[in-house]
Amino acid sequence: MRRKFVAGNWKMNKTISEARQLITELLLTLKSLDGIDRAVCPPSMALPMAARLLEGTGVGLGAQNMYWEESGAYTGELAPNMVAELCGYVLIGHSERRGYFGETDETVNLKVKAALAHGLTPIVCMGESLEENQAGKTAEVISRQVRGGLAGLTPEEGAKLVIAYEPIWAIGTGLAATAEDANAIHCDVVRPALAEIFGEQVAQGIQIQYGGSVKPDNADGFFAQSDIDGALVGGASLKAESFAAIARAAADAS
Ligand code: 13P
């Protein structure tokens, strides 16, 4: 049985003091929801503070990105061991990283391998654009992202992954995929692609989150689906009330 996993991707929002305030408020609800996995991914400046605040609470911490090299002359980047000192999770290959910062399936693959080598759980993000969706290319795009991003991983490594399916057209638009459509992608496209690489048994154990305009009023619909194992939440993770409500919906569905 896969546990539900709700994670908040704060993107480029919240100063350290704002992050402290939000986490303090969130803990009032999240701490007790131990039937689900839950995590926040604040900007990297806030990670040391967040790590101290979250210690011993059962609420996980994730970085939004990292580089794959161990150390050296890579101005502006975070090394895997820096992230691993503070976090259990790291988002890899978010569509904003791919779209604005030139990340590809190849760089995603390098980052996933580096994360695993440092004991981090990568949350590997994938999803199709509006044009790809309208051209009927969703399955093709997702299969390519799975094969490219996860190439060369063993089944043991595959078992440590979390996947986030985030159709780009649903991110920040208020136009979420329907729960049924998202579930169909999860069980007919993402999981079979994972099974091709890692085998059916490993694929069945991997948590697949849905992301894209998840809100308190549509969350329970997603969590009622067979293959939607949680959510990666953007905008609605920036307010304690709405993220707590989404986490509660996941706990209620568990
Ligand atoms: P929104 O929830 O704001 O649509 O963002 C989703 C997302 O990109 C999470 O990574």
Side-chain angles (χ1 to χ4, degrees), residues 18-138:
E18 289 166 347
R20 182 184 291 111
Q21 175 73 26
L22 178 52
I23 290 173
T24 304
E25 286 171 25
L26 277 173
L27 280 173
L28 299 174
T29 305
L30 294 189
K31 212 173 156 178
S32 62
L33 297 180
D34 52 9
I36 61 166
D37 297 333
R38 59 273 191 235
V40 291
C41 305
S44 54
M45 301 290 287
L47 291 175
M49 175 280 299
R52 281 192 299 276
L53 218 53
L54 294 174
E55 203 180 337
T57 64
V59 178
L61 182 62
Q64 297 176 15
N65 178 38
M66 61 168 220
Y67 199 51
W68 61 81
E69 293 288 355
E70 292 293 311
S71 66
Y74 303 101
T75 301
E77 293 293 322
L78 295 178
N81 66 351
M82 299 172 189
V83 176
E85 202 169 43
L86 300 171
C87 301
Y89 298 100
V90 59
L91 302 181
I92 304 283
H94 190 280
S95 59
E96 289 147 18
R97 299 293 319 166
R98 296 177 192 251
Y100 299 136
F101 303 102
E103 297 200 7
T104 63
D105 292 335
E106 289 69 38
T107 60
V108 167
N109 187 241
L110 290 166
K111 291 181 178 199
V112 169
K113 286 175 176 164
L116 290 168
H118 285 269
L120 287 157
T121 299
I123 302 176
V124 186
C125 305
M126 52 190 64
E128 81 286 3
S129 68
L130 183 61
E131 301 78 66
E132 290 163 340
N133 182 280
Q134 288 175 343
K137 291 190 170 154
T138 300

Side-chain angles (χ1 to χ4, degrees), residues 9 11 91 94-96 125 166 170-174 211-215 232-236:
N9 174 10
K11 308 190 180 183
L91 302 181
H94 190 280
S95 59
E96 289 147 18
C125 305
E166 302 201 301
I171 295 177
T173 59
S213 298
V214 176
K215 309 284 176 206
L232 185 55
V233 184

Side-chain angles (χ1 to χ4, degrees), residues 68-249:
W68 61 81
E69 293 288 355
E70 292 293 311
S71 66
Y74 303 101
T75 301
E77 293 293 322
L78 295 178
N81 66 351
M82 299 172 189
V83 176
E85 202 169 43
L86 300 171
C87 301
Y89 298 100
V90 59
L91 302 181
I92 304 283
H94 190 280
S95 59
E96 289 147 18
R97 299 293 319 166
R98 296 177 192 251
Y100 299 136
F101 303 102
E103 297 200 7
T104 63
D105 292 335
E106 289 69 38
T107 60
V108 167
N109 187 241
L110 290 166
K111 291 181 178 199
V112 169
K113 286 175 176 164
L116 290 168
H118 285 269
L120 287 157
T121 299
I123 302 176
V124 186
C125 305
M126 52 190 64
E128 81 286 3
S129 68
L130 183 61
E131 301 78 66
E132 290 163 340
N133 182 280
Q134 288 175 343
K137 291 190 170 154
T138 300
E140 181 188 323
V141 170
I142 299 296
S143 304
R144 190 174 65 227
Q145 290 174 336
V146 168
R147 277 198 311 272
L150 309 181
L153 301 187
T154 64
E156 290 70 31
E157 290 173 321
K160 295 175 183 157
L161 301 173
V162 174
I163 304 292
Y165 168 61
E166 302 201 301
I168 297 170
W169 47 269
I171 295 177
T173 59
L175 298 171
T178 68
E180 293 73 19
D181 286 351
N183 193 53
I185 301 293
H186 287 209
C187 67
D188 299 338
V189 180
V190 181
R191 211 175 292 287
L194 295 169
E196 255 181 50
I197 307 181
F198 303 123
E200 187 60 33
Q201 198 185 337
V202 168
Q204 284 299 334
I206 297 176
Q207 291 166 316
I208 307 177
Q209 300 173 318
Y210 166 77
S213 298
V214 176
K215 309 284 176 206
D217 61 3
N218 63 14
D220 53 352
F222 289 112
F223 300 147
Q225 301 293 322
S226 64
D227 281 71
I228 299 183
D229 307 316
L232 185 55
V233 184
S237 72
L238 298 174
K239 289 214 163 74
E241 195 180 278
S242 47
F243 190 62
I246 291 168
R248 249 186 265 111

